[in-house]
Amino acid sequence: RMLADQLGWDFREGDDLHPQTNVDRMHAGFALEDSQRWPWLDRIAGWIGDERARGRDGVVSCSALKRSYRDRLRVAGADVRFVYLRVKRAGLERRMQDRRHFMPVSLLDSQLRTLEEPSSEGDALTVSAETTIDEIISTVREWLGPHRTQPHD
């Protein structure tokens, strides 16, 4: 959200786009199957496409854990970029315990088993989330380049 605020871009929390059935399933401690993630990813891609149609840039936060999930989001436009925040398991667990969210910590291991780091994807930047938020934002803004990081009116 802070990156979007600094850039003057729209922000969307991807978890807000989950169908209620997904929320209920995760809240009950059951991991989602790919078939349950596709409608959610399509909603995110739809939001990205809507932003592009309005001539807007945006930031959406989501756990696009697999390359196939990121490919599903790439259909929204050639200029879609991904920032992968790499966090050690202990840090993820601590963050999950500290937030109010429908997904319990018990699902963390299934998320990590599903994860395919985007190390070979040219439109993805890997950033250590063990640094400060200001350092992360600075790194992302530098990667995006000056033409993409000017705030919109």
Side-chain angles (χ1 to χ4, degrees):
R1 181 177 298 277
M2 287 177 65
L3 175 65
D5 288 347
Q6 284 188 23
L7 296 174
W9 294 3
D10 295 332
F11 174 80
R12 188 66 193 243
E13 169 55 58
D15 282 341
D16 293 343
L17 298 173
H18 269 295
Q20 188 61 44
T21 55
N22 286 5
V23 173
D24 293 345
R25 182 174 174 82
M26 287 183 281
H27 185 73
F30 297 102
L32 297 179
E33 302 292 328
D34 284 355
S35 63
Q36 295 160 320
R37 285 189 174 105
W38 298 133
W40 170 65
L41 292 163
D42 290 342
R43 286 180 177 186
I44 294 171
W47 183 84
I48 294 168
D50 290 347
E51 287 293 290
R52 295 184 77 240
R54 293 176 38 221
R56 301 278 304 160
D57 289 313
V59 174
V60 62
S61 61
C62 69
S63 57
L65 298 171
K66 288 182 175 180
R67 184 180 189 120
S68 61
Y69 302 168
R70 294 184 292 275
D71 288 344
R72 192 82 165 221
L73 299 176
R74 286 181 177 103
V75 303
D79 57 351
V80 172
R81 301 288 179 264
F82 298 90
V83 176
Y84 167 55
L85 299 174
R86 182 180 284 148
V87 185
K88 294 177 184 168
R89 189 196 188 289
L92 288 170
E93 187 171 344
R94 185 185 74 256
R95 290 171 188 215
M96 290 178 75
Q97 290 170 340
D98 290 346
R99 72 179 184 166
R100 300 187 70 151
H101 196 265
F102 54 78
M103 191 177 91
V105 176
S106 62
L107 292 178
L108 178 57
D109 287 332
S110 72
Q111 295 275 293
L112 293 173
R113 281 191 304 274
T114 302
L115 176 64
E116 297 172 359
E117 291 190 356
S119 57
S120 65
E121 298 169 40
D123 59 358
L125 172 69
T126 298
V127 180
S128 171
E130 308 291 337
T131 69
T132 69
I133 188 67
D134 290 333
E135 291 173 308
I136 293 168
I137 290 172
S138 177
T139 299
V140 173
R141 289 184 73 160
E142 183 178 323
W143 177 67
L144 289 172
H147 65 287
R148 294 292 308 253
T149 58
Q150 299 304 311
H152 292 311
D153 292 329

